[in-house]
Amino acid sequence: MSVLNVRQKRIAFFDRLVWALLLCGLFLFLSPTGVLANEENNDQWHQKWYDLNEQASEVLALVEKKDYATAKNRVQNMADELMQLKLGKFVQHPEQAHILLETMLQVKDAHTETDLDERKVQKKVLTMKLALNAVAHQEEPLWLQYYPSIEKVILELQHALKEGERDPFFAHLNRLAVHYELVRPAIIVSHPLRVYTQLDSQMAYLTEQRSQLWQDKERTEALLDALLEQVRIAFFLENDSQKSFWFLMVGLGTFICGILSYVGWRKYQGERARQTVSWREFNQS
């Protein structure tokens, strides 16, 4: 067997191996466990989340019209639908599934109070809507729009503390607690455990240790600085599922480019070897 034939067989073997690896990678990507297949299989589940999000908007409109009976029944139906969804497809931690159910229960409880508080009902419904929207629209959720308001309150707290304005300081603190309660469920379903637990601990200290805040101003100032930084992380940190998807896409693209580059290089080597062998055989003839 000539040297040319041996090299050609080796090149053909490596070509088949490379293309087999490439096809395996594409098969995994398109298989039922792959990204594209998951996207197709999850379309119906995404649609159900979108429907729940739209129903939350309708409930908010009913509350604004003071049609509380219809709103209460609609929330009950939404809770039943949520229990039938596969929450594990959309949230990663049990705490996130729990907070979604809890927001709906809080809306129902607000509707069943003896002395119905209209502002409380509206706030609870809005909180529920922001949480559901955070799951349905992970790229651009509505709760991100509340960052300027929260940042402004924290800056006003810092200013009041610096200027020695005690009453405005505690008034701003109350406003901050209201704003955070509104977006807290949405933050929980959007980020890992460490993000919202740090925020929770900081907010808990501010609200539960109110009497000490004014006495130890240096510590309070440091706490407000840390809180503002943590709020910025929560509002501008990229969602984990988005990062995982892009890492997978970049990895697969790199893999395919590497395979194609290797195929091109092997073909170049084969052409070069064939030309070299032909020249040697020509000299020996």
Side-chain angles (χ1 to χ4, degrees), residues 16-261:
R16 288 194 296 270
L17 178 62
V18 167
W19 283 111
L21 290 174
L22 178 60
L23 290 175
C24 287
L26 291 175
F27 173 77
L28 292 174
F29 188 65
L30 298 172
S31 66
T33 58
V35 174
L36 293 181
N38 275 338
E39 290 295 329
E40 294 176 359
N41 294 335
N42 288 336
D43 280 346
Q44 57 178 339
W45 299 107
H46 280 294
Q47 186 59 48
K48 291 183 179 181
W49 276 109
Y50 295 146
D51 293 342
L52 280 174
N53 183 47
E54 291 300 321
Q55 291 181 52
S57 300
E58 294 173 2
V59 171
L60 184 59
L62 289 171
V63 168
E64 291 174 348
K65 295 178 181 178
K66 299 185 179 182
D67 189 354
Y68 300 110
T70 306
K72 178 183 176 181
N73 293 333
R74 187 68 62 85
V75 172
Q76 180 61 55
N77 294 335
M78 291 174 62
D80 294 339
E81 292 181 19
L82 184 65
M83 293 296 294
Q84 297 176 3
L85 289 178
K86 297 180 179 180
L87 296 180
K89 287 181 173 290
F90 301 95
V91 295
Q92 300 178 358
H93 307 289
E95 295 84 358
Q96 296 172 327
H98 173 74
I99 197 66
L100 289 171
L101 294 172
E102 183 180 343
T103 56
M104 290 190 176
L105 292 177
Q106 289 179 356
V107 173
K108 291 172 59 179
D109 292 342
H111 277 90
T112 56
E113 291 181 356
T114 305
D115 296 327
L116 190 142
D117 187 339
E118 295 182 357
R119 293 186 61 184
K120 180 179 179 181
V121 171
Q122 188 171 357
K123 185 180 68 174
K124 294 299 183 182
V125 172
L126 181 57
T127 301
M128 177 187 68
K129 174 177 171 55
L130 292 176
L132 292 173
N133 178 269
V135 180
H137 302 280
Q138 297 181 4
E139 296 182 358
E140 295 182 358
L142 291 176
W143 68 272
L144 294 180
Q145 300 177 3
Y146 288 83
Y147 173 77
S149 300
I150 295 178
E151 181 190 39
K152 180 181 178 182
V153 175
I154 296 176
L155 294 176
E156 290 174 342
L157 272 168
Q158 293 175 325
H159 177 77
L161 182 67
K162 183 179 179 181
E163 298 297 327
E165 300 171 349
R166 189 177 187 279
D167 291 341
F169 175 83
F170 287 106
H172 296 322
L173 184 60
N174 293 335
R175 289 173 53 210
L176 177 61
V178 171
H179 284 307
Y180 181 67
E181 185 180 357
L182 189 66
V183 299
R184 179 178 179 270
I187 292 177
I188 291 177
V189 299
S190 300
H191 291 307
L193 181 68
R194 58 179 176 80
V195 175
Y196 68 82
T197 51
Q198 291 179 1
L199 270 175
D200 277 354
S201 62
Q202 292 170 334
M203 287 299 303
Y205 183 85
L206 285 173
T207 55
E208 296 173 5
Q209 306 295 328
R210 298 170 63 95
S211 60
Q212 300 181 11
L213 296 178
W214 197 255
Q215 297 175 2
D216 192 351
K217 293 184 179 181
E218 292 184 1
R219 183 177 182 181
T220 302
E221 184 178 358
L223 179 61
L224 291 175
D225 289 338
L227 176 64
L228 182 58
E229 180 63 24
Q230 193 63 32
V231 165
R232 287 170 177 167
I233 291 174
F235 275 82
F236 297 107
L237 179 66
E238 190 176 25
N239 186 278
D240 280 355
S241 62
Q242 297 175 22
K243 291 196 294 185
S244 299
F245 175 77
W246 285 115
F247 284 148
L248 179 60
M249 292 295 293
V250 171
L252 183 63
T254 303
F255 173 75
I256 293 175
C257 289
I259 292 293
L260 294 178
S261 299

